[in-house]
Amino acid sequence: GHESYVRAHGIAAIRAGFEPHIFAMSRRSEVAVYDFGVVHRVVGPIKSVTHIKAGLCHSAAASAIERFLKGHSPPHLIHAFSTWGGVGVALKRRFAARGESVIPITSAYSTKLHEMRKQLAGLRREHGLAKWLRYHFEYLWILSEVDRLERRGYEGSQMVLVNYDSVRRLLKESYDLRAEIRRIPYASSVAFQDAPEVPDGTSYEAIAALRPSQAPLIVAVSRQVPRKGIDVLLRALAELDRAGASFRACIVGPGRLLKAHRRMVIELGLSGKVAMPGWVEDSFAYLRKGDIFVLPSLEEGSGSVSVLEALQAGIAVIASDCDGIPEDLTDGEDALLVRPGDVGALRQALARLLDDESLRRQLAQRGRSTYERRFSSAALVTALQTTYAELGFVP
């Protein structure tokens, strides 16, 4: 999902002087206050809500927001994300019938069809038949239902916000958008912490068990899904291991393919060299432990929050040259970029950084400069403040 984007936008909106109310589908009804806004948890018609199933919950979300807005004077600004854009469009119609104004805008990071096609391209024999069937079923569902919902949201929004020209092109190719597509800067939620602290009790047992203990540590932070290319990274690490390279690797993140990838670690003979702890409380803490960050994705749609956090953490970055990534990074300047899905190219980039501590340090320093210049929290705050003001909303 796009939880990290929502969290960052919520914090930015608060710093811009607004009071964001965030509606999220949940198994229980609750209103809670967080550092990124007031979260309204709404019980939907299904237990598990993903972007794949979002359409089944649009009506429940719209009704909950409508009840909330009845106690507030119009006009109302609905800022939706990804597949939820249709909720704002539906509310615009509902309130127009009673003579009240709702202005829907949507933030876009990719399209579900674009993402799912890369999911299918990333499936491998090691992932198993059950996962193959599940992803293909989801693709058919997206093709028949979810794409229609996305179209309704993007085409009905008054403005669509993107972070990358790659996403702008994708939207124009996919939908008939008459509204302005505006590019704004973005930042991760960690960017709002001047000096992110490691939570008390953070455990690095998975890293501590890796050998050789003094070898450079490679870190990846990623959901375990086909389009993220974790199998590509594992194969590259196996080739490095056979060539006698000295390294440790920790791949952080949960997902459907976690068990399959853990089996690959064993089958490729990487036990003791590669740790895969799954979900962790604070992935940024692991980035600060690393020497090299790797993003082996086949598709990102836009850019990567993990890349931004790696730049902020000050470690050397290797990333796939896909979608919005080359808009953020320059090969050889602040990162090494490799062709998506190319095991050999990724192996060579890793070997280069493992053997050259000076280059690692240079890329880390330049990457940190790129982060400070382009991905500061202040830039996102200003962009939201300006955009909302143009739409008629000021604190």
Side-chain angles (χ1 to χ4, degrees):
H2 298 295
E3 293 86 354
S4 179
Y5 293 116
V6 174
R7 184 182 300 270
H9 279 75
I11 298 173
I14 290 172
R15 294 201 178 180
F18 296 94
E19 183 186 76
H21 288 261
I22 301 160
F23 287 76
M25 306 310 298
S26 177
R27 295 186 180 185
R28 69 183 188 279
S29 178
E30 180 186 49
V31 179
V33 180
Y34 295 92
D35 64 340
F36 57 95
V38 181
V39 176
H40 302 252
R41 293 190 172 91
V42 180
V43 177
I46 54 177
K47 291 183 179 180
S48 176
V49 182
T50 65
H51 286 289
I52 302 295
K53 302 172 183 176
L56 301 176
C57 298
H58 273 204
S59 179
S63 295
I65 297 172
E66 183 178 14
R67 288 192 296 271
F68 171 77
L69 291 179
K70 284 181 179 178
H72 297 76
S73 300
H76 310 295
L77 176 66
I78 307 293
H79 186 166
F81 292 79
S82 188
T83 49
W84 295 93
V87 173
V89 175
L91 286 167
K92 179 181 179 180
R93 290 196 300 267
R94 292 188 190 184
F95 278 80
R98 65 183 73 150
E100 295 184 12
S101 174
V102 166
I103 298 176
I105 66 174
T106 304
S107 285
Y109 304 98
S110 182
T111 71
K112 294 306 291 183
L113 271 179
H114 179 69
E115 179 182 310
M116 186 55 69
R117 283 166 178 154
K118 291 298 182 179
Q119 298 279 38
L120 300 185
L123 285 170
R124 298 291 180 264
R125 173 181 53 82
E126 292 87 350
H127 296 147
L129 178 61
K131 295 295 187 295
W132 188 94
L133 291 172
R134 180 168 184 171
Y135 277 104
H136 278 78
F137 173 78
E138 287 188 0
Y139 173 71
L140 293 175
W141 174 253
I142 289 171
L143 197 61
S144 63
E145 295 294 332
V146 177
D147 184 60
R148 176 177 56 83
L149 293 171
E150 279 194 298
R151 180 183 302 277
R152 180 187 304 165
Y154 292 136
E155 293 183 353
S157 290
Q158 187 158 326
M159 181 183 291
V160 178
L161 305 182
V162 300
N163 304 130
Y164 292 91
D165 289 333
S166 62
V167 179
R168 184 198 302 272
R169 291 191 297 270
L170 178 61
L171 293 177
K172 286 187 173 181
E173 292 168 0
S174 304
Y175 307 118
D176 181 21
L177 268 65
R178 295 181 173 83
E180 177 188 357
I181 304 176
R182 174 174 296 189
R183 178 172 176 172
I184 66 170
Y186 80 125
S188 78
S189 57
V190 179
F192 290 87
Q193 306 173 38
D194 294 330
E197 297 181 357
V198 176
D200 293 338
T202 298
S203 173
Y204 300 104
E205 291 180 7
I207 294 176
L210 298 175
R211 295 293 182 271
S213 59
Q214 300 305 311
L217 177 63
I218 299 165
V219 177
V221 178
S222 171
R223 283 179 291 131
Q224 305 271 346
V225 294
R227 70 184 179 91
K228 291 294 186 176
I230 298 300
D231 62 295
V232 177
L233 174 56
L234 291 176
R235 289 185 170 88
L237 293 175
E239 291 187 5
L240 285 172
D241 186 44
R242 288 194 292 270
S246 179
F247 67 87
R248 299 171 295 155
C250 183
I251 302 172
V252 173
R256 293 178 186 171
L257 303 182
L258 178 59
K259 290 183 179 179
H261 290 152
R262 283 174 171 167
R263 287 195 300 269
M264 284 187 68
V265 169
I266 297 171
E267 292 167 357
L268 291 171
L270 294 172
S271 298
K273 279 184 170 285
V274 176
M276 204 170 283
W279 181 86
V280 297
E281 180 70 27
D282 182 13
S283 60
F284 190 78
Y286 283 77
L287 291 173
R288 295 204 300 190
K289 280 280 189 180
D291 299 291
I292 302 169
F293 169 81
V294 183
L295 180 83
S297 299
L298 304 180
E299 186 264 359
E300 281 296 324
S302 53
S304 165
V305 170
S306 294
V307 165
L308 301 195
E309 293 183 353
L311 296 176
Q312 183 180 359
I315 65 173
V317 170
I318 298 173
S320 291
D321 189 3
C322 66
D323 296 309
I325 299 300
E327 296 181 41
D328 286 344
L329 303 171
T330 302
D331 183 37
E333 291 293 326
D334 49 16
L336 297 183
L337 301 183
V338 299
R339 188 168 62 184
D342 190 331
V343 174
L346 182 55
R347 181 199 68 241
Q348 291 173 7
L350 284 166
R352 185 179 174 190
L353 290 191
L354 288 170
D355 292 339
D356 193 337
E357 183 178 355
S358 176
L359 179 58
R360 293 203 303 267
R361 188 164 52 250
Q362 288 175 14
L363 290 178
Q365 291 171 348
R366 293 171 185 166
R368 174 69 192 191
S369 296
T370 296
Y371 162 77
E372 292 172 350
R373 186 175 68 254
R374 297 189 52 204
F375 304 111
S376 71
S377 59
L380 178 56
V381 172
T382 300
L384 283 186
Q385 197 169 41
T386 300
T387 300
Y388 290 171
E390 288 183 17
L391 296 169
F393 297 89
V394 293

